[in-house]
Amino acid sequence: MTAPWTDWDHITKIDPDKDLVEGETFEDVCATGTDALEIGGTLDMTEEKMERVVDACAKYDVPIYQEPSNPGVVIDDDALDGYLIPTVFNAKDSFWVTGAHKEWVRIEDGLDWDRTHTEAYIVLNPDSSVAEYTEADCDQNADDVASFARVAEKMFGQEIVYVEYSGTYGDPEKVGAAHDALEESTLFYGGGIHDYETAYEMGGNADVVVVGNLLHDEGVDAVRETVEGVTDAHAELAEP
């Protein structure tokens, strides 16, 4: 069965610890044209915050996935289409490669494996919270990134590889190297997408563009621009 994200262009990541722009609603977020919502954040996450966002978005026809930062904030909600679980391939602390995952399996009674999917993260912004949190080794050149991507797909069977520059715009060469290294896995890119042009450029190097901070900082009109940018990039690539 084909995974749903193979048909996606754009994901909006909602941080439950942050507010939307004044006057905007989750209905507005769901109307941007984004293909899916990913609910999660790195710091100050709680089950209650997660539930609040999932409940607010559940009535709209956009797939919802939780991306938990640790096992303690995983929620069981029928409104979720699934769980996207990061495993940070360039983390120095093995807890973020398999340790947190082992703990989730240990404490969870009846984990829903059919809805649980992993994302092979390659974290590349050393100043980001996720890099500090996971002790990621971000000193990676394009060949290194491509090799991580190939290892994730070929050795570990990862269906999603996620190049993460959280908080800053990344290097298109490195993102493109990861994309070129993959045969079947889907490449997500996140970090610094803030307008049509950046979404268009990274759309030429990644299968799916993820937008997060932009929603909370600039609002839904800015997010809609990024949807248009990545969609146009993919449409051009699909032309004969």
Side-chain angles (χ1 to χ4, degrees):
M1 185 175 67
T2 304
W5 46 82
T6 61
D7 294 324
W8 298 348
D9 299 303
H10 187 282
I11 295 172
T12 300
K13 184 178 288 190
I14 302 175
D15 187 335
D17 195 49
K18 297 179 179 179
D19 294 327
L20 298 179
V21 168
E22 185 176 357
E24 296 186 350
T25 67
F26 288 109
E27 181 178 11
D28 298 328
V29 177
C30 294
T32 58
T34 191
D35 294 299
L37 304 177
E38 194 171 49
I39 315 301
T42 303
L43 303 175
D44 299 320
M45 290 298 104
T46 66
E47 290 184 40
E48 292 75 16
K49 292 176 182 177
M50 292 282 192
E51 285 280 11
R52 177 182 63 84
V53 176
V54 171
D55 289 347
C57 296
K59 66 184 76 173
Y60 307 109
D61 190 25
V62 179
I64 305 171
Y65 288 78
Q66 185 186 12
E67 187 186 59
S69 56
N70 67 74
V73 299
V74 175
I75 62 174
D76 183 10
D77 193 312
D78 290 339
L80 289 171
D81 289 80
Y83 305 91
L84 296 176
I85 311 301
T87 175
V88 182
F89 268 54
N90 59 325
K92 293 179 182 178
D93 184 348
S94 64
F95 183 76
W96 302 110
V97 183
T98 56
H101 315 72
K102 180 268 293 182
E103 283 301 300
W104 183 21
V105 172
R106 185 181 64 80
I107 65 178
E108 180 68 25
D109 183 22
L111 194 148
D112 188 348
W113 291 108
D114 290 338
R115 292 196 298 161
T116 302
H117 316 278
T118 49
E119 305 165 297
Y121 263 69
I122 307 166
V123 176
L124 295 176
N125 176 13
D127 297 323
S128 65
S129 296
V130 65
E132 295 177 7
Y133 202 50
T134 63
E135 300 180 30
D137 180 3
C138 301
D139 186 17
Q140 311 290 337
N141 62 31
D143 287 340
D144 295 327
V145 174
S147 297
F148 270 122
R150 195 171 292 117
V151 165
E153 180 180 52
K154 294 299 186 182
M155 292 185 175
F156 289 85
Q158 298 293 292
E159 296 183 20
I160 299 169
V161 176
Y162 193 139
V163 175
E164 173 66 287
Y165 273 91
S166 179
T168 193
Y169 189 63
D171 182 343
E173 180 187 359
K174 294 182 181 181
V175 179
H179 186 269
D180 292 346
L182 300 174
E183 294 182 5
E184 297 183 0
S185 299
T186 299
L187 183 70
F188 287 12
Y189 169 80
I193 300 294
H194 61 273
D195 56 15
Y196 179 95
E197 287 74 21
T198 50
Y200 181 88
E201 180 175 40
M202 280 306 180
N205 292 284
D207 299 308
V208 180
V209 165
V210 183
V211 169
N213 290 339
L214 185 69
L215 171 66
H216 301 286
D217 295 340
E218 301 294 334
V220 295
D221 287 342
V223 172
R224 189 175 293 107
E225 276 192 35
T226 65
V227 173
E228 293 169 358
V230 65
T231 302
D232 286 352
H234 288 169
E236 287 191 16
L237 289 171
E239 291 178 356

